[in-house]
Amino acid sequence: MLRLMIWISKKMGRTVGRVVLYLIAGYFLLFAPAARVASRVYLTRVLGRRADARDIYRHFLTFATTIHDRVYLLSNDDSSFTIQSHLSKDVEQAIADMRGALLVGAHLGSFEVLRSVGLKYPGVPVVMVMYEDNAKKLNATLASMKTGERPNIIPLGRWDTMLRVQEQLEMGALVGFLGDRSVGSEKKRIVPFLGEPAAWPSGTFRIAALLNRPLYFMAGLYTGTGHYEIFIKQIADFSSVEKLDQDKAIQDAMLTYVNEIENCCHMAPYNWFNFYDFWVKTSNI
C-alpha cells in the first residue's frame, strides 16, 4: 500500500491521493474478509458495542490515511501536519542531555510521526529497529521516492543488533521498537488486552533489561485530517534492577505497556492496526 500511495502522490498530488483513500478503504471493506472480521472483533471490544460496517470502514480509512501520510513523514516533511507532542519531563531531559532513549510502541497510529520529535531536536538521531525482511522492503520502497533522508534502520535478529542499539543510544539517539508482533520463536507472555488474554513478545523488554536502560512507551495517534498527537512516557527503569529481579521487572513493564496501549485504543479506537486474530484462545493457554 505504501508503494501505491507513493505513486499516487507523485502522479496526482496529495489532494487527489486523499480522495483515493476512500476507494482503498472501500476495497478492503469489500474484499478483505479476514481483516474485516478482525476489525469487527477489535472494535466491538474497544467500543463496547457491536461494530457495524461504518465503524469497520472508518477503521480501514484511518489505516489508509496513516499510510498515505507516511509518504511525507518519511521525507522529513511534516509542514502540512499539526503534531502535538506530550513528552514526560524525564523524556525531555533525556533528549536534551543526549542520553538516548529506548522507546517501545505498537502497530498503533503512526510509528513514523516519531521522526518529527527528532526534527524538533537538531542533532538527535531517530532509529527504527525492525525485522530484516521488513527493513529491506521499506528501504526498497523509500529508494523509489528519491526524496528525503533515508531512515536509520537496525535489523532485528542479527548478532550485532544489541551492539548497534547500544551504540546509537550512546550517541543520544531515540531508538524505537514495535513491541506487539514477533517472528519465529521469540518468547511471548500472556497479558490481558481489552479484557481477554493476548500473547505479547518480550524481546524489547529483555533488551532494555540487558542494557540496563529506562524504557519509554511511545504512540503517535491520528486524531483527524493532518493531526497527530505523540505520547512518550517512561514505563520502566532497568538501570538499577538486579539480575535476579529482572524477570519480575520485565513482567511489570509489559503490564504497564499493554495498559498504555489500552488507554490509547480508548482514546483513538480506530488507530489499532493489527488486522488479524490478536487474542489467544483460552484453551491454548
Side-chain angles (χ1 to χ4, degrees), residues 102 104 162 177 185-189 200-213 215 238 243 246-251 253-254:
L102 198 59
V104 58
M162 187 87 75
F177 291 77
S185 59
E186 181 180 347
K187 290 183 179 179
K188 295 183 179 181
R189 297 194 182 197
W200 300 84
S202 60
T204 302
F205 304 88
R206 294 182 182 280
I207 288 174
L210 288 171
L211 293 177
N212 299 119
R213 282 272 182 172
L215 184 63
F238 294 97
K243 191 170 183 178
Q246 280 186 359
D247 193 68
K248 183 181 184 304
I250 288 171
Q251 182 68 20
M254 293 183 70

Side-chain angles (χ1 to χ4, degrees), residues 23 87 90 117 121 133 171 177 194 205 223 230:
L23 301 177
L87 278 62
D90 47 4
V117 176
Y121 294 90
D133 286 347
M171 292 170 58
F177 291 77
L194 295 176
F205 304 88
T223 55
I230 297 174

Side-chain angles (χ1 to χ4, degrees), residues 53-107:
R54 289 172 299 179
D55 295 314
I56 298 170
Y57 179 79
R58 183 177 175 184
H59 196 188
F60 289 147
L61 181 60
T62 301
F63 175 56
T65 301
T66 61
I67 295 288
H68 184 225
D69 289 346
R70 185 184 295 182
V71 175
Y72 302 94
L73 292 167
L74 286 172
S75 299
N76 287 345
D77 177 13
D78 64 358
S79 58
S80 55
F81 299 98
T82 300
I83 301 174
Q84 290 183 285
S85 297
H86 307 277
L87 278 62
S88 60
K89 290 183 179 180
D90 47 4
V91 178
E92 290 183 330
Q93 195 63 52
I95 295 174
D97 293 344
M98 291 294 288
R99 297 200 307 266
L102 198 59
L103 312 173
V104 58
H107 289 78

Side-chain angles (χ1 to χ4, degrees), residues 3-47:
R3 198 174 295 117
L4 171 64
M5 295 317 303
I6 289 171
W7 185 88
I8 290 171
S9 299
K10 277 184 171 182
K11 300 294 183 182
M12 305 179 189
R14 189 173 184 197
T15 301
V16 175
R18 286 200 55 81
V19 173
V20 175
L21 297 180
Y22 291 89
L23 301 177
I24 291 174
Y27 174 86
F28 273 91
L29 182 66
L30 294 173
F31 301 110
R36 187 171 63 241
V37 169
S39 173
R40 186 188 299 278
V41 169
Y42 159 73
L43 289 173
T44 296
R45 291 186 189 281
V46 75
L47 297 175

Side-chain angles (χ1 to χ4, degrees), residues 252-263:
D252 290 344
M254 293 183 70
L255 288 169
T256 305
Y257 166 72
V258 175
N259 184 62
E260 292 297 334
I261 291 177
E262 285 189 344
N263 291 340

